[in-house]
Amino acid sequence: MTTGTLITVAPTGAESAKAEVPALPVTLDELVRTAKECEALGAAVIHVHIRDDAARPTLDPVRLRETVAALRESTDLIVQLSSGGAVTDPEASRLAVLDAGPDMASCTMGTVNFGDDVFLNRWEFIVDLHTRMQERGIVPEYEIFDLGHLSALQRLLGKYGPPAGGHVHVDFVMGVPGGMPGTTETLVAAHRMLRDLPEGTTFSATGIGRSTIPVMLASLSTGGHLRVGMEDTVTYAKGRPVESNMQLVARAVGFAQLAQRPPLTTVEARELLGL
């Protein structure tokens, strides 16, 4: 679907510290306010990480349920919870994210070096996450950090069947140190590999840090969609910190409009994703 652009905002993440990035939304009130602002600009999906009272990443089940409920009450956004959490989170806690009943959840398709850390995603864990989402009607976004992850997704779908809703949507996470680079050439190579996935598979692309703009432009030019937010970059331009997630969403909306692919509404996004 290339007539419109699905815009996802990832406002918080698990990497940046509130003390170093004061604009980062870490409380529930801050997250809801950010969600409302970004929805008004054109975002249709919110990719959610949460923090505890000390602004540290957490997968606390009570907080997750409260967050999903608050976002549903205050917005029409598609609520997508991260099942990745922080790289130190145990598998059981990551699976329990689904108990909060989101519309969507991420499903990372393989292990990847993540800066100085390792983001571990064993095959058995991936299968467990995929099948639990099938059973609960939660739509996955398959996160692709390296090209081999697309082959793993092909294997997963061939052996365990299509996701809830039937539509396959992936997100290329590009520019993570240890993963695939955030370049046009890499995105084109990843895009070509989609031919091995079910017909109609769609993709978004996320450029980490300085790869944000090249990845956005490459994704739009190849018929893809966009994910932006302070999870992925805290610098708007060289020497210029991001002031808010709204600033990043507004830029993505502007690029989408220039490409004559305006943002999808939340209703259109739900139809696209099989929700």
Side-chain angles (χ1 to χ4, degrees):
M1 182 175 182
T2 58
T3 56
T5 303
L6 176 72
I7 295 181
T8 299
V9 60
T12 306
E15 284 73 48
S16 297
K18 177 73 167 178
E20 297 172 1
V21 188
L24 198 71
V26 297
T27 68
L28 183 54
D29 287 345
E30 288 172 341
L31 185 62
V32 169
R33 183 166 61 250
T34 294
K36 293 168 70 174
E37 292 169 345
C38 292
E39 180 184 21
L41 286 171
V45 180
I46 184 166
H47 174 80
V48 180
H49 289 253
I50 62 169
R51 303 292 181 99
D52 63 16
D53 289 337
R56 294 171 302 208
T58 181
L59 292 179
D60 176 75
V62 175
R63 285 178 181 267
L64 283 169
R65 285 194 294 271
E66 291 173 347
T67 299
V68 171
L71 289 170
R72 285 205 176 120
E73 182 179 352
S74 301
T75 76
D76 290 324
L77 290 171
I78 296 165
V79 180
Q80 180 191 108
L81 292 183
S82 170
S83 69
V87 293
T88 54
D89 285 321
E91 290 180 351
S93 297
R94 294 170 60 190
L95 289 170
V97 163
L98 303 181
D99 295 339
D103 303 301
M104 298 182 72
S106 60
C107 181
T108 301
M109 287 309 306
T111 296
V112 64
N113 288 328
F114 201 94
D116 296 332
D117 299 305
V118 175
F119 183 24
L120 182 63
N121 293 281
R122 299 181 309 112
W123 176 249
E124 292 83 358
F125 171 75
I126 294 169
V127 170
D128 203 358
L129 188 58
H130 173 77
T131 54
R132 289 190 190 201
M133 282 198 268
Q134 284 176 320
E135 293 164 2
R136 301 179 188 207
I138 297 170
V139 172
E141 179 178 78
Y142 299 103
E143 292 200 335
I144 308 297
F145 283 79
D146 221 336
L147 296 181
H149 292 180
L150 286 168
S151 297
L153 177 56
Q154 183 185 11
R155 176 189 175 199
L156 180 75
L157 297 174
K159 191 165 185 179
Y160 296 98
H167 178 76
V168 178
H169 182 73
V170 306
D171 180 47
F172 299 142
V173 185
M174 310 181 71
V176 171
M180 59 183 169
T183 63
T184 299
E185 293 83 0
T186 304
L187 191 143
V188 169
H191 179 254
R192 285 174 179 159
M193 291 181 70
L194 293 181
R195 68 186 67 174
D196 296 325
L197 295 175
E199 184 177 356
T201 294
T202 53
F203 75 95
S204 295
T206 305
I208 303 299
R210 68 184 65 184
S211 68
T212 295
I213 291 177
V215 166
M216 276 199 291
L217 295 173
S219 185
L220 286 169
S221 68
T222 50
H225 304 278
L226 305 178
R227 185 183 106 171
V228 297
M230 295 180 71
E231 171 173 353
D232 305 318
T233 182
V234 294
T235 303
Y236 189 76
K238 187 175 182 180
R240 184 179 169 190
V242 172
E243 297 171 6
S244 71
N245 282 284
M246 275 203 317
Q247 190 180 27
L248 298 173
V249 171
R251 180 166 64 182
V253 168
F255 283 4
Q257 290 171 336
L258 282 171
Q260 300 185 43
R261 292 184 48 205
L264 296 177
T265 66
T266 53
V267 172
E268 292 168 334
R270 288 177 188 277
E271 182 180 356
L272 171 71
L273 295 168
L275 284 160

